[in-house]
Amino acid sequence: MQNRSNFRVEALPYVFQPGQWAVAADYTQTYEQRPVLHYHNCVEIGRCLSGSGTLFLEGRIFPFSAGSVFIILPGCVHDAHVQMSGPTRTPSCWRYLFWNGEEPEAAALPSSLVARGGDLTALFDMMAEEVMQQPTGWQTVLAGLHQAFFRKAARLQTQPAVPGAGAELLTEALRIVAGDYPDLTVAALADRCGISVSYLRKLFQAGLGQSPRSYLQRLRLEMACHLLLTTRKSVLAVAQEAGFQNVS
């Protein structure tokens, strides 16, 4: 199990041009055996476009998948982990917005936030479109979207349900699932984590709101969809690679 307290922490400041409100960037994560923790001098908003994994944020573990949105406040130490045990695994793709200057709406948040889907995702997509295309009057539109986004985020502010050792066990379980999900069973996952199946179910239900079996099936479906959209592999080949042995 990885102990992030021993990871190197780096400052990654962003330099904005005069009059530049925000910067948008797309990024495909790569495999890293030992990710470096980092923090920024500005507010970072990320939106997962595809893939899944776990995010280390303010000493806690959050799962993410396509549609997840996170807000990371200035100075917040974090990393992002793709659910992949090796360089051949499918990475996740992201779109980021980095905000310049003081953020009165963001400052109202008690901590950084991770949320899934709904209005927050739609508002992020609209903000990113304004920043990337910059049509006539985009600054005015962006200002309104920005205010609505952070007000919505404040309503959704939540805390993860799995503290302490439970969070570490859940993280280890997610790491194992990431590498072996095509052939993994719930019983085998519990055995590799050194816990009972019933306790594993409690951890998943508390932290992810679903059972280990449901999580495995959802991950297989998401990976199968991603492969069908991004490769020319046959349905049978994709099904086998994703862990669906019977496609009849």
Side-chain angles (χ1 to χ4, degrees):
M1 184 181 301
Q2 291 180 318
N3 179 7
R4 289 175 178 81
S5 63
N6 295 325
F7 283 7
R8 187 171 75 254
V9 178
E10 293 182 348
L12 297 179
Y14 278 83
V15 179
F16 296 88
Q17 300 301 317
Q20 190 175 36
W21 287 15
V23 174
D26 288 344
Y27 177 66
T28 299
Q29 292 183 316
T30 56
Y31 171 68
E32 296 179 66
Q33 287 185 314
R34 190 176 179 81
V36 176
L37 302 179
H38 61 275
Y39 60 92
H40 306 296
N41 59 332
C42 58
V43 173
E44 175 186 4
I45 309 174
R47 189 255 212 254
C48 182
L49 302 175
S50 65
S52 58
T54 57
L55 175 69
F56 177 80
L57 183 61
E58 294 186 327
R60 300 181 177 93
I61 302 298
F62 297 83
F64 68 76
S65 58
S68 295
V69 173
F70 65 70
I71 303 171
I72 299 181
L73 303 181
C76 175
V77 175
H78 62 281
D79 66 0
H81 289 269
V82 185
Q83 287 195 337
M84 51 195 299
S85 60
T88 61
R89 295 294 180 183
T90 303
S92 61
C93 298
W94 290 81
R95 177 161 292 161
Y96 294 103
L97 287 174
F98 298 95
W99 289 89
N100 186 18
E102 296 183 359
E103 299 285 344
E105 293 88 356
L109 295 175
S111 64
S112 298
L113 170 73
V114 178
R116 171 75 186 263
D119 294 340
L120 210 59
T121 302
L123 286 166
F124 175 91
D125 290 341
M126 288 188 284
M127 289 193 301
E129 182 178 4
E130 293 296 321
V131 174
M132 297 174 78
Q133 297 185 6
Q134 297 189 4
T136 302
W138 69 275
Q139 294 97 331
T140 302
V141 174
L142 182 62
L145 291 171
H146 171 271
Q147 188 176 62
F149 178 86
F150 280 101
R151 286 183 176 177
K152 184 68 176 179
R155 294 178 183 176
L156 296 176
Q157 183 76 61
T158 57
Q159 295 295 331
V162 182
E168 288 296 320
L169 281 171
L170 181 58
T171 303
E172 178 69 3
L174 292 174
R175 185 193 64 77
I176 294 171
V177 170
D180 300 321
Y181 68 89
D183 305 309
L184 196 63
T185 65
V186 174
L189 176 59
D191 184 65
R192 290 176 62 176
C193 291
I195 58 178
S196 67
V197 171
S198 61
Y199 186 54
L200 181 70
R201 288 177 181 148
K202 289 181 180 179
L203 286 177
F204 269 76
Q205 196 62 47
L208 307 180
Q210 58 188 302
S211 68
R213 178 181 175 81
S214 296
Y215 182 82
L216 275 167
Q217 291 296 88
R218 182 176 62 80
L219 180 58
R220 287 168 180 152
L221 283 170
E222 288 183 353
M223 292 303 182
C225 290
H226 181 79
L227 290 171
L228 287 172
L229 291 171
T230 59
T231 72
R232 294 184 178 182
K233 295 180 180 180
S234 67
V235 173
L236 179 60
V238 166
Q240 292 175 338
E241 184 173 338
F244 296 101
Q245 303 304 323
N246 187 348
V247 294
S248 60

